[in-house]
Amino acid sequence: MDREIYEYRARILKAMANPSRLMIMDTLSSGEKSVAALQEMIGSDISTVSKHLSVLKSAHIVIDRRSGAQVFYRLAVPCILDFFSCVNMVIQSDAEKSGRVASMIG
Amino acid sequence: MDREIYEYRARILKAMANPSRLMIMDTLSSGEKSVAALQEMIGSDISTVSKHLSVLKSAHIVIDRRSGAQVFYRLAVPCILDFFSCVNMVIQSDAEKSGRVASMIG
DNA sequence: TTCTTGTTTGGTAGTATGACCAATCACGCA
DNA sequence: TGCGTGATTGGTCATACTACCAAACAAGAA
């Protein structure tokens, strides 16, 4: 088996596999945002947000653009979010089994 | 923002974000397999494979079925693999930029 | 140049991951 | 009941993640 391709894919998934980073991606789906704007959404320290963004950038999930003192980030490949229509199926089948409410799906 | 849904999604992505587990998922896309069969594909210790499977099972990505002494695993939600048509776009745009070969995409 | 705003980087601490070996459990058969 | 095969669990170690604070950096205004 070609291990390299799986390592590459894993790197991308790993970059996504964090609640704050998923929030960031979701926020960016409606257009580019500055670090400060994202920080307001997420609520953690701005240095933490900046590091999350650098993780997403290293994985080529977001692209940055400087404008004066601000840096704006946007999704490089918006289809990345389509994935969750399937993830939601996992959540759904789990929620049904455990009797949790459908509001989990969002 | 509803942090709970992002934590749930992150848990699923985290469960997927490992090369061996992606190999397992890919292998299971062609039908259910025993732990020993998967171990042969992956190459690591069988205890390691078993632990990977338990991670995937906890995330409701795979379902197990016992038959005699053997346990067979299969994908719970096969669409989970569709995701990679998009992940490949990330790989592709990255590969173009860095001049890496298209064989990365597999 | 100096100040201010916006962002990134360095350092640290606590927690989680992933690999292996050894031991245990589950099942079917003698 | 005792054996053998197949799978899981416990223990350990090295490595990686994620949060925060503090310090440094980048750009524009005074």
Side-chain angles (χ1 to χ4, degrees):
Chain A
M1 297 190 96
D2 185 358
R3 194 161 186 97
E4 197 183 0
I5 180 71
Y6 291 105
E7 278 169 3
Y8 206 102
R9 289 176 176 184
R11 238 172 289 151
I12 292 167
L13 286 167
K14 199 171 170 184
M16 295 175 69
N18 173 279
S20 298
R21 290 200 288 272
L22 289 175
M23 273 194 216
I24 289 172
M25 289 173 65
D26 223 16
T27 303
L28 294 184
S29 69
S30 63
E32 66 174 19
K33 302 277 182 300
S34 69
V35 181
L38 291 167
Q39 191 259 326
E40 210 173 330
M41 305 290 297
I42 309 304
S44 26
D45 192 274
I46 192 141
S47 69
T48 302
V49 174
S50 177
K51 280 180 182 171
H52 281 311
L53 286 165
S54 101
V55 170
L56 291 173
K57 187 180 162 186
S58 301
H60 306 278
I61 292 169
V62 300
I63 294 172
D64 63 332
R65 171 180 78 82
R66 180 176 280 275
S67 171
Q70 295 179 84
V71 178
F72 291 91
Y73 284 84
R74 64 188 155 85
L75 288 181
V77 187
C79 68
I80 206 101
L81 290 169
D82 298 345
F83 175 54
F84 293 109
S85 61
C86 182
V87 169
N88 285 344
M89 292 179 64
V90 178
I91 294 174
Q92 199 157 32
S93 69
D94 176 37
E96 276 159 16
K97 264 174 242 134
S98 60
R100 227 168 304 138
V101 287
S103 67
M104 282 298 296
I105 297 166
Chain B
M1 296 190 99
D2 185 359
R3 193 161 186 97
E4 197 183 0
I5 179 69
Y6 291 105
E7 277 170 3
Y8 206 102
R9 289 176 175 184
R11 237 173 290 149
I12 292 168
L13 286 167
K14 199 170 169 184
M16 295 174 70
N18 173 280
S20 298
R21 290 199 288 273
L22 289 175
M23 273 194 215
I24 288 172
M25 289 172 66
D26 222 19
T27 303
L28 293 182
S29 68
S30 64
E32 65 174 21
K33 303 277 182 300
S34 70
V35 181
L38 291 168
Q39 191 259 325
E40 210 172 329
M41 303 290 297
I42 309 303
S44 25
D45 193 275
I46 192 144
S47 70
T48 301
V49 173
S50 177
K51 282 180 182 173
H52 281 312
L53 286 165
S54 101
V55 170
L56 291 173
K57 187 180 162 185
S58 302
H60 307 279
I61 292 169
V62 300
I63 294 172
D64 62 332
R65 172 180 77 82
R66 180 175 280 277
S67 171
Q70 294 178 84
V71 178
F72 290 90
Y73 284 85
R74 65 188 154 86
L75 287 181
V77 186
C79 68
I80 206 101
L81 290 169
D82 298 346
F83 175 55
F84 293 108
S85 60
C86 181
V87 169
N88 285 344
M89 292 180 64
V90 179
I91 294 175
Q92 198 157 33
S93 69
D94 177 37
E96 275 159 17
K97 264 174 243 133
S98 60
R100 225 168 304 137
V101 287
S103 68
M104 283 298 296
I105 297 166

